[in-house]
């Protein structure tokens, strides 16, 4: 496609747009792995079944596209979030299920503009799990919580028979105090907003693939799992209300987040492929597997959309945060075509970067 | 035993007491079903591994024996709690996993003296789960939340491969506002306190056993699953600060709760066996299985310890709550022997009602 779509391209985009704006309906007969992948099927399950069932008649606070719900307590606005972790294997280069379980929930709070305060941890253990494995994850949870500055205030443990789980699953929930500097919403993107990413994409997904020995690659890559609150804190300081939205690009990768935001704000997002930071190992692994790194999971990378006048100082602030030195501006928000994410390739072409369909890599987190 | 222990009995009690007051150490090589049963092994796991790892150096708010942690936000004190649900089968007379997941977490807040405000729901689904099964549980969750007056503000869904879970597991977390009338703590029991129970014990456990066709019994019993907030609210109104502690008697049953409270407050609790309300079906089922109904799980029964001068009006208030008409005063707190629960049998004898050991009925909730 050229910069100005032809009338045929325009027609195709219109058809896609019409199909997308219909309310999602959950019609599958069975749950499939795709429903847990963070892409199209997950969203159909959420928007077609869960949100309609759980939303109170008057609307309420459950928002399909946000990482955390909000609730007012006394004079404070709180964010609350939850996440289950079923990653396989339990340990991988750069992290483990316990560390992931803390950082994942901390990050859902952080990108909602909430300073993480407290976590709960619920363990589902398989009968026969080695105590040393459990002990290591308990320690990983404790360490990650200390590093993120959150307190673990409640816990639960259940045990299921041998074969009724895969070692251990962890569910963490978190509450945080919404930061007064934050005015973040997925539907607040404006044309000309700049899109920032806080570092190289796809490292968590690649680390998991390598840990599973799914393909022969003589290289090492570590999961990017970390707390994103310091990065969010720096962004809020630098850009305040000019920061329109932050998301962490977990399941479904950066591509899925960008698609959700474009849809929610009824705008287009253009990504400059050459500007996206990707480490050589991730690039090679993605090529071998035939996956676009933009669809690979991250556990310590955020996407921020910021008004153009604040973009340079937001990027500078982000790069000053340890671990975010390779942050980059990777694209911008445009008006047309609404709801679409487009990629400007290194060769000067354009293509649609659609939602993730199916599940190329189950149990990534 | 007679009312005054002989010197031999006294010696036995001392030995038990000494053994119990040692700090628990988690030394097992593997996780067993008993670690999830709510009895001795669960407590060893919690006190020997989880609490030491998760407690901050300065003490913090994680309390091994409480149903919820607390955290101060602005001027409000909040309670936070979490629970995973792995009950088998998913549906049983009187309820289902979805209803249990809401009520269980609502009740952990309620018995901590916190008015339930918001819940998060995290689903772990097995690939291949029938959508109708999922839909029914989503509806059960929504209905139970409406009935309990709590809002679902956050959610998550993960899918694991066929065989890596048993249909579905649900983790719910909740936050509530600590009621100003409440001054509840497991270590605040005083000699002469009266012990109340909010209805017949063991119905949930029996309903699950019957639903599993574990034995041939031509009778019906329904799970007692319900929100306990109305009962707690009535008790707080009637007894205020004279209400010393409330607990819900879930896994491990009433016996486990009484043991925990006796230990935490360093008091003795005497239960009058004949005063404990038990329905005939539960009685018969327990006899057949050789289990004391006091160890059977409940999902809608609380144990309250209240100062003697407030006991009569607390009981009256409790009985006025729908579903709690059969509430009863079942025993009292005494000074000696500390940490022990004793039963006065219908035949005038006494015996020790020890902690639950092992797991007579896995996956009860």
């Amino acid at each position: 496609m050229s910069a100005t779509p032809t009338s045929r391209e325009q027609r195709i985009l219109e058809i896609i747009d019409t199909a997308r704006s219909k309310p999602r309906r959950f019609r599958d007969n069975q749950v499939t792995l795709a429903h847990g992948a963070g892409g199209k099927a997950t969203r159909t399950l959420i928007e077609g079944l869960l949100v309609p069932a759980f939303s109170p008649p008057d609307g309420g606070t459950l928002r399909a596209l946000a990482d955390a719900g909000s609730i007012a307590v006394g004079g404070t606005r709180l964010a609350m979030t939850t996440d289950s972790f079923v990653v396989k294997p339990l340990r991988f280069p750069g992290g483990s299920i316990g560390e992931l379980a803390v950082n994942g929930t901390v990050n859902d709070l952080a990108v909602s503009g909430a300073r993480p305060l407290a976590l709960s941890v619920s363990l589902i253990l398989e009968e026969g799990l080695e105590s040393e494995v459990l002990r290591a994850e308990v320690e990983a949870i404790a360490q990650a919580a200390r590093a993120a500055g959150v307190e673990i205030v409640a816990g639960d443990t259940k045990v299921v028979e041998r074969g009724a789980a895969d070692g251990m699953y962890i569910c963490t929930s978190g509450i945080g105090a919404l930061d007064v500097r934050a005015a973040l919403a997925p539907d607040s993107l404006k044309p000309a907003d700049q899109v920032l990413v806080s570092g190289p994409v796809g490292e968590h997904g690649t680390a998991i693939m390598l840990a599973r020995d799914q393909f022969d690659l003589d290289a090492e890559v570590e999961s990017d799992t970390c707390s994103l609150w310091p990065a969010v804190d720096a962004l809020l300081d630098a850009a305040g209300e000019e920061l329109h939205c932050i998301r962490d690009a977990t399941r479904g990768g950066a591509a899925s987040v960008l698609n959700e935001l474009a849809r929610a704000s009824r705008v287009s997002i253009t990504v400059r492929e050459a500007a996206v930071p990707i480490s050589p190992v991730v690039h090679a692994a993605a090529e071998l597997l035939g996956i676009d790194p933009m669809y690979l999971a991250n556990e310590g990378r955020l996407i921020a959309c910021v008004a153009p006048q604040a973009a340079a100082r937001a990027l500078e602030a982000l790069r000053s945060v340890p671990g975010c030195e390779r942050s980059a501006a990777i694209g911008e928000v445009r008006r047309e075509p609404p709801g679409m994410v487009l990629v400007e390739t290194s060769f000067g072409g354009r293509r649609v970067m659609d939602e993730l369909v199916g599940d190329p890599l189950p149990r990534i987190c």
Side-chain angles (χ1 to χ4, degrees), chain A:
Chain A
M1 294 182 220
S2 64
T4 314
T6 64
S7 64
R8 186 170 170 277
E9 282 172 358
Q10 194 63 51
R11 179 71 194 122
I12 292 170
L13 295 176
E14 276 168 19
I15 292 169
I16 295 174
D17 189 41
T18 308
R20 284 185 163 189
S21 32
K22 285 188 187 156
R24 304 270 166 152
R25 288 175 64 177
F26 178 67
R27 303 182 205 238
D28 305 286
N29 291 325
Q30 288 194 333
V31 171
T32 66
L33 288 170
H35 289 117
K40 201 164 186 166
T42 304
R43 207 144 58 76
T44 303
L45 173 62
I46 293 172
E47 295 179 19
L49 179 62
L50 302 179
V51 170
F54 294 158
S55 294
D58 62 353
T61 59
L62 186 77
R63 291 174 303 172
L65 300 175
D67 283 294
S70 69
I71 174 174
V73 173
T76 310
R77 278 182 65 225
L78 289 180
M80 181 176 192
T81 185
T82 189
D83 242 324
S84 286
F85 294 83
V86 298
V87 65
K88 184 181 177 176
L90 297 177
R91 305 224 128 208
F92 43 83
S96 71
I97 190 171
E99 191 177 351
L100 218 55
V102 171
N103 290 337
T105 291
V106 160
N107 290 348
D108 280 346
L109 293 170
V111 299
S112 303
R115 182 183 296 272
L117 295 174
L119 290 189
S120 65
V121 176
S122 188
L123 306 170
I124 297 178
L125 308 177
E126 184 186 7
E127 180 189 15
L129 178 72
E130 298 295 326
S131 295
E132 283 317 304
V133 174
L134 174 61
R135 205 181 287 275
E137 292 317 314
V138 166
E139 194 39 56
I141 290 169
Q143 221 159 14
R146 276 194 296 272
V150 291
E151 203 179 320
I152 296 169
V153 297
D156 180 53
T157 308
K158 291 293 189 313
V159 182
V160 295
E161 301 90 341
R162 232 173 262 268
D166 199 355
M168 67 188 299
Y169 302 141
I170 304 177
C171 178
T172 47
S173 301
I175 57 175
L178 281 161
D179 197 291
V180 290
R181 296 167 298 176
L184 306 170
D187 59 359
S188 65
L189 272 56
K190 302 270 180 306
D193 277 2
Q194 295 298 298
V195 179
L196 313 182
V197 64
S198 67
V201 301
E203 298 189 347
H204 178 73
T206 308
I208 297 294
M209 284 196 291
L210 291 174
R212 286 190 199 156
D213 288 324
Q214 283 189 326
F215 54 108
D216 214 31
L217 194 65
D218 193 19
E220 277 181 21
V221 61
E222 295 204 336
S223 167
D224 55 6
T225 180
C226 68
S227 161
L228 283 170
W229 175 251
V232 172
D233 196 22
L235 281 171
L236 289 172
D237 240 16
E241 288 189 357
E242 290 170 314
L243 193 64
H244 293 154
C245 189
I246 316 179
R247 295 294 302 272
D248 59 335
T250 56
R251 279 185 292 180
S256 296
V257 164
L258 294 172
N259 266 283
E260 286 181 24
L261 296 181
R263 273 172 56 95
S265 291
R266 305 283 305 145
V267 294
S268 160
I269 298 177
T270 294
V271 174
R272 296 182 300 275
E273 194 170 52
V276 179
I278 300 177
S279 70
V281 185
V282 172
H283 204 104
E287 289 265 322
L288 275 171
L289 215 75
I291 300 179
D292 185 337
M294 293 293 279
Y295 292 92
L296 283 174
N298 313 276
E299 289 291 336
R301 298 287 180 250
L302 60 76
I303 302 276
C305 298
V306 56
Q309 66 275 18
R313 64 174 187 276
L315 183 57
E316 196 188 358
L318 203 50
R319 283 181 174 160
S320 72
V321 176
C324 301
E325 297 82 358
R326 294 184 61 195
S327 297
I330 62 167
E332 69 171 37
V333 176
R334 292 177 186 168
R335 200 171 302 275
E336 300 285 341
M340 305 284 287
V341 180
L342 302 175
V343 185
E344 284 178 0
T345 67
S346 316
F347 312 105
R350 284 209 307 175
R351 57 179 167 79
V352 173
M353 180 183 281
D354 203 357
E355 286 182 287
L356 178 68
V357 175
D359 191 356
L361 194 62
R363 306 209 13 217
I364 196 79
C365 61

